[in-house]
mmCIF file of all heavy atoms in Angstrom:
data_model
loop_
_atom_site.group_PDB
_atom_site.id
_atom_site.type_symbol
_atom_site.label_atom_id
_atom_site.label_comp_id
_atom_site.label_asym_id
_atom_site.label_seq_id
_atom_site.Cartn_x
_atom_site.Cartn_y
_atom_site.Cartn_z
ATOM 1 N N ASP B 52 -49.949 -4.516 5.095
ATOM 2 C CA ASP B 52 -50.745 -3.392 4.577
ATOM 3 C C ASP B 52 -51.012 -2.312 5.629
ATOM 4 O O ASP B 52 -51.284 -1.166 5.300
ATOM 5 C CB ASP B 52 -52.108 -3.910 4.079
ATOM 6 C CG ASP B 52 -51.959 -4.806 2.866
ATOM 7 O OD1 ASP B 52 -50.976 -4.623 2.101
ATOM 8 O OD2 ASP B 52 -52.802 -5.720 2.673
ATOM 9 N N ARG B 53 -50.953 -2.734 6.901
ATOM 10 C CA ARG B 53 -51.301 -1.780 7.962
ATOM 11 C C ARG B 53 -50.145 -0.825 8.286
ATOM 12 O O ARG B 53 -50.332 0.189 8.945
ATOM 13 C CB ARG B 53 -51.705 -2.526 9.220
ATOM 14 C CG ARG B 53 -53.008 -3.299 9.048
ATOM 15 C CD ARG B 53 -53.185 -4.351 10.133
ATOM 16 N NE ARG B 53 -52.078 -5.327 10.088
ATOM 17 C CZ ARG B 53 -51.985 -6.388 10.890
ATOM 18 N NH1 ARG B 53 -52.894 -6.600 11.835
ATOM 19 N NH2 ARG B 53 -50.969 -7.215 10.774
ATOM 20 N N LEU B 54 -48.914 -1.139 7.791
ATOM 21 C CA LEU B 54 -47.766 -0.255 8.092
ATOM 22 C C LEU B 54 -47.812 1.015 7.260
ATOM 23 O O LEU B 54 -48.254 1.005 6.106
ATOM 24 C CB LEU B 54 -46.448 -0.996 7.801
ATOM 25 C CG LEU B 54 -46.114 -2.169 8.721
ATOM 26 C CD1 LEU B 54 -44.881 -2.908 8.206
ATOM 27 C CD2 LEU B 54 -45.868 -1.659 10.160
ATOM 28 N N GLU B 55 -47.362 2.130 7.869
ATOM 29 C CA GLU B 55 -47.362 3.406 7.133
ATOM 30 C C GLU B 55 -45.958 3.779 6.663
ATOM 31 O O GLU B 55 -45.740 4.820 6.059
ATOM 32 C CB GLU B 55 -47.955 4.489 8.001
ATOM 33 C CG GLU B 55 -49.440 4.190 8.247
ATOM 34 C CD GLU B 55 -50.148 5.271 9.062
ATOM 35 O OE1 GLU B 55 -49.440 6.199 9.525
ATOM 36 O OE2 GLU B 55 -51.367 5.152 9.241
ATOM 37 N N ALA B 56 -44.994 2.931 6.980
ATOM 38 C CA ALA B 56 -43.605 3.130 6.516
ATOM 39 C C ALA B 56 -42.874 1.812 6.793
ATOM 40 O O ALA B 56 -43.363 0.983 7.584
ATOM 41 C CB ALA B 56 -42.930 4.267 7.273
ATOM 42 N N ASP B 57 -41.732 1.636 6.138
ATOM 43 C CA ASP B 57 -40.925 0.465 6.468
ATOM 44 C C ASP B 57 -40.405 0.605 7.901
ATOM 45 O O ASP B 57 -39.991 1.690 8.320
ATOM 46 C CB ASP B 57 -39.747 0.341 5.505
ATOM 47 C CG ASP B 57 -40.185 -0.038 4.086
ATOM 48 O OD1 ASP B 57 -41.190 -0.774 3.949
ATOM 49 O OD2 ASP B 57 -39.524 0.408 3.114
ATOM 50 N N GLN B 58 -40.436 -0.488 8.617
ATOM 51 C CA GLN B 58 -39.892 -0.507 9.973
ATOM 52 C C GLN B 58 -38.657 -1.368 9.970
ATOM 53 O O GLN B 58 -38.749 -2.581 9.729
ATOM 54 C CB GLN B 58 -40.927 -1.057 10.951
ATOM 55 C CG GLN B 58 -42.136 -0.121 11.079
ATOM 56 C CD GLN B 58 -43.030 -0.510 12.227
ATOM 57 O OE1 GLN B 58 -43.027 -1.671 12.666
ATOM 58 N NE2 GLN B 58 -43.814 0.436 12.733
ATOM 59 N N ILE B 59 -37.518 -0.757 10.222
ATOM 60 C CA ILE B 59 -36.258 -1.469 10.019
ATOM 61 C C ILE B 59 -35.450 -1.488 11.311
ATOM 62 O O ILE B 59 -35.057 -0.458 11.834
ATOM 63 C CB ILE B 59 -35.481 -0.788 8.874
ATOM 64 C CG1 ILE B 59 -36.300 -0.920 7.586
ATOM 65 C CG2 ILE B 59 -34.097 -1.425 8.705
ATOM 66 C CD1 ILE B 59 -35.965 0.103 6.554
ATOM 67 N N GLU B 60 -35.210 -2.701 11.791
ATOM 68 C CA GLU B 60 -34.477 -2.863 13.031
ATOM 69 C C GLU B 60 -33.241 -3.704 12.757
ATOM 70 O O GLU B 60 -33.324 -4.781 12.160
ATOM 71 C CB GLU B 60 -35.394 -3.569 14.052
ATOM 72 C CG GLU B 60 -34.775 -3.738 15.407
ATOM 73 C CD GLU B 60 -35.598 -4.684 16.294
ATOM 74 O OE1 GLU B 60 -36.759 -4.353 16.592
ATOM 75 O OE2 GLU B 60 -35.066 -5.751 16.639
ATOM 76 N N ILE B 61 -32.086 -3.167 13.142
ATOM 77 C CA ILE B 61 -30.823 -3.875 12.924
ATOM 78 C C ILE B 61 -30.127 -4.087 14.264
ATOM 79 O O ILE B 61 -29.929 -3.143 15.016
ATOM 80 C CB ILE B 61 -29.916 -3.108 11.951
ATOM 81 C CG1 ILE B 61 -30.610 -2.989 10.566
ATOM 82 C CG2 ILE B 61 -28.545 -3.779 11.812
ATOM 83 C CD1 ILE B 61 -29.851 -2.167 9.549
ATOM 84 N N ASP B 62 -29.790 -5.321 14.540
ATOM 85 C CA ASP B 62 -29.096 -5.675 15.788
ATOM 86 C C ASP B 62 -29.803 -5.079 17.008
ATOM 87 O O ASP B 62 -29.165 -4.534 17.905
ATOM 88 C CB ASP B 62 -27.622 -5.223 15.722
ATOM 89 C CG ASP B 62 -26.830 -6.039 14.682
ATOM 90 O OD1 ASP B 62 -27.234 -7.189 14.403
ATOM 91 O OD2 ASP B 62 -25.814 -5.529 14.179
ATOM 92 N N GLY B 63 -31.132 -5.171 17.008
ATOM 93 C CA GLY B 63 -31.897 -4.819 18.193
ATOM 94 C C GLY B 63 -32.287 -3.360 18.330
ATOM 95 O O GLY B 63 -32.984 -2.983 19.272
ATOM 96 N N SER B 64 -31.842 -2.516 17.388
ATOM 97 C CA SER B 64 -32.191 -1.093 17.459
ATOM 98 C C SER B 64 -32.739 -0.616 16.130
ATOM 99 O O SER B 64 -32.437 -1.201 15.085
ATOM 100 C CB SER B 64 -30.959 -0.243 17.787
ATOM 101 O OG SER B 64 -30.291 -0.774 18.907
ATOM 102 N N PRO B 65 -33.535 0.469 16.156
ATOM 103 C CA PRO B 65 -33.977 1.040 14.876
ATOM 104 C C PRO B 65 -32.756 1.419 14.053
ATOM 105 O O PRO B 65 -31.778 1.934 14.583
ATOM 106 C CB PRO B 65 -34.761 2.292 15.314
ATOM 107 C CG PRO B 65 -35.137 2.062 16.746
ATOM 108 C CD PRO B 65 -34.052 1.216 17.326
ATOM 109 N N ALA B 66 -32.810 1.147 12.745
ATOM 110 C CA ALA B 66 -31.662 1.420 11.886
ATOM 111 C C ALA B 66 -31.405 2.914 11.794
ATOM 112 O O ALA B 66 -32.335 3.727 11.916
ATOM 113 C CB ALA B 66 -31.920 0.834 10.500
#
Side-chain angles (χ1 to χ4, degrees):
Chain B
D52 294 332
R53 293 163 300 182
L54 292 172
E55 294 182 355
D57 291 327
Q58 293 191 337
I59 297 157
E60 183 191 298
I61 297 176
D62 292 335
S64 310

